[in-house]
Amino acid sequence: MSTVFGALNRFISRLDSESPSQSSRDRSAYGFQVLRNKNLEIPIEPWYDFIVGINGRQVDNPDPNLFATEIRNCAGANVNLTLWNAKGSRSRNISLPVPTPSPTLGITLQWTPLSVTEDVWHVLDVIENSPADLAGLLPYGDYIVGTPEGNVHGEAGLGELVEDYLSRSLRLYVYNHEYAVTRLVTLTPSRNWGGSGALGCVLGFGALHRLPIPMTEPVAGPGETLFETARVSNEEHRPSSTQPESNSPSIYPPPSSAPQSPDMLVPASMASPPRPSATLPTAAGLPKGAMRKPRNAAASNMAFDEYFREGEQKSKEEDFAPSSKNAAPPPPPPKSAKSVPPQAKSPEPTAEPQNEEKEE
């Protein structure tokens, strides 16, 4: 038992020693952040997209001239870019054509660490008639991603900026997750609005309040596997209940020959049984004796009536019920002389014995 706990402690200590290095690598990652996009035909989103690779190679040099040279070398062809997006922290690859006369993409870039996208404040609640409410901030859907007044870093960075702009107009870039739009909001922080705080809203910061994946992402289609699961090696194989046994006859045609995953059931590929023929067989197509005469419906009805009549008769006999035909009413009870009950007589008073005094 001590050996098991020792191995577990060593494993946990190894994970703890690797966590800071992994975090430092993530925070030290850099890329060209897209600040402006003049070409609306290019599917690149300013501020949220970072160019981290070009033509299959990672961008690790902050020199913009090398990047521009690589773009010019692809004039008349396509350039492959690897983009990292702050919404959901996902990467994607796109291919863009580079025009020959002017081999540029029409975007403005800046060498920036990817960790700047972690400085996001999630609006969790907005108090009524507060500066945040008057500015139009929406709870749960709004994220404060920056400000044109300068760079804001760390959890306390926004609070320090608000303190510097008390009773003055403060501009904030706010991203709305539900509508996937970024707008510029102007508000005036104040301590005299009638509530607590200078903004009058509750903000969340940290890993649980990063920018989520946009709601406009396509949903999973029919037949797609959402979760990949592996079968355990010692698990016995159970036949499907929907498939008939090989020995039993089947009325269904064989399944389609298209290759399908054994763990996936696509309703569109299921074969349906053949429909029965709408035409009725004739007497000529049937063997001898197959055509039978129709049964007499009146005879079957009479049998049922006889059966119910017999049951009704038995029920009446058990309940001593008189028959409805030729049944005389029961005779009345015999008349007898009215006997008058004797009247109760009150007892006569008896004389109490008197004690006579005798003189002696």
Side-chain angles (χ1 to χ4, degrees):
M1 184 63 68
S2 59
T3 306
V4 175
F5 281 104
L8 182 60
N9 291 332
R10 289 193 299 270
F11 178 72
I12 295 176
S13 61
R14 185 168 68 252
L15 291 180
D16 294 339
S17 62
E18 293 177 357
S19 298
S21 60
Q22 179 68 24
S23 176
S24 61
R25 286 196 300 268
D26 294 341
R27 297 188 64 86
S28 61
Y30 277 76
F32 283 109
Q33 185 180 17
V34 181
L35 301 181
R36 188 177 296 105
N37 183 9
K38 298 180 181 179
N39 189 357
L40 300 181
E41 297 180 357
I42 298 179
I44 295 180
E45 194 173 8
W47 195 90
Y48 302 101
D49 278 337
F50 290 73
I51 299 178
V52 295
I54 180 171
N55 292 331
R57 299 188 302 273
Q58 183 179 0
V59 177
D60 52 4
N61 195 319
D63 188 2
N65 295 324
L66 295 179
F67 184 82
T69 302
E70 188 71 19
I71 295 296
R72 287 193 295 268
N73 293 338
C74 298
N78 292 343
V79 59
N80 297 322
L81 299 179
T82 302
L83 302 178
W84 182 86
N85 192 274
K87 300 176 183 178
S89 302
R90 299 184 304 170
S91 300
R92 70 184 190 278
N93 296 321
I94 61 173
S95 181
L96 302 176
V98 181
T100 303
S102 178
T104 60
L105 298 179
I107 56 179
T108 304
L109 305 177
Q110 180 182 0
W111 185 255
T112 312
L114 304 184
S115 59
V116 298
T117 59
E118 299 178 0
D119 298 324
V120 174
W121 290 265
H122 187 194
V123 181
L124 301 178
D125 192 12
V126 177
I127 305 175
E128 188 178 0
N129 297 327
S130 63
D133 185 27
L134 299 178
L137 292 182
L138 302 176
Y140 297 105
D142 279 349
Y143 293 80
I144 301 176
V145 297
T147 173
E149 315 302 342
N151 295 329
V152 182
H153 300 290
E155 184 176 2
L158 183 61
E160 297 173 356
L161 179 67
V162 170
E163 291 292 336
D164 295 339
Y165 279 83
L166 285 176
S167 302
R168 293 191 299 164
S169 296
L170 174 62
R171 297 176 299 173
L172 299 174
Y173 288 119
V174 179
Y175 166 75
N176 187 271
H177 168 57
E178 299 177 357
Y179 296 95
V181 294
T182 303
R183 66 189 190 276
L184 184 63
V185 176
T186 303
L187 49 81
T188 304
S190 175
R191 297 287 185 183
N192 304 322
W193 64 273
S196 60
L199 297 180
C201 62
V202 181
L203 301 177
F205 184 87
L208 298 178
H209 303 283
R210 304 283 169 81
L211 294 179
I213 300 176
M215 300 179 63
T216 56
E217 292 291 330
V219 298
E224 294 184 1
T225 304
L226 298 181
F227 301 98
E228 294 291 341
T229 56
R231 182 180 295 274
V232 184
S233 58
N234 60 352
E235 182 182 358
E236 61 177 357
H237 178 72
R238 299 180 180 179
S240 176
S241 59
T242 58
Q243 297 179 356
E245 299 180 358
S246 57
N247 298 333
S248 61
S250 175
I251 61 173
Y252 298 96
S256 176
S257 59
Q260 296 180 1
S261 175
D263 299 333
M264 190 182 306
L265 179 63
V266 182
S269 63
M270 295 177 61
S272 58
R275 296 183 178 180
S277 177
T279 59
L280 296 177
T282 58
L286 293 177
K288 183 178 180 181
M291 295 296 292
R292 299 181 180 179
K293 297 181 180 180
R295 297 181 179 178
N296 190 0
S300 60
N301 294 337
M302 292 177 61
F304 277 105
D305 293 343
E306 189 71 21
Y307 174 77
F308 287 119
R309 191 179 302 107
E310 182 179 357
E312 183 180 1
Q313 182 65 25
K314 290 182 178 180
S315 177
K316 290 180 179 181
E317 293 177 357
E318 292 178 358
D319 296 341
F320 301 100
S323 59
S324 58
K325 296 181 179 180
N326 302 327
K335 295 182 180 181
S336 61
K338 296 182 180 180
S339 60
V340 180
Q343 297 181 357
K345 296 182 180 180
S346 60
E348 296 180 357
T350 58
E352 296 180 358
Q354 298 180 358
N355 296 329
E356 296 181 356
E357 297 180 359
K358 296 181 179 180
E359 295 180 0
E360 295 180 352

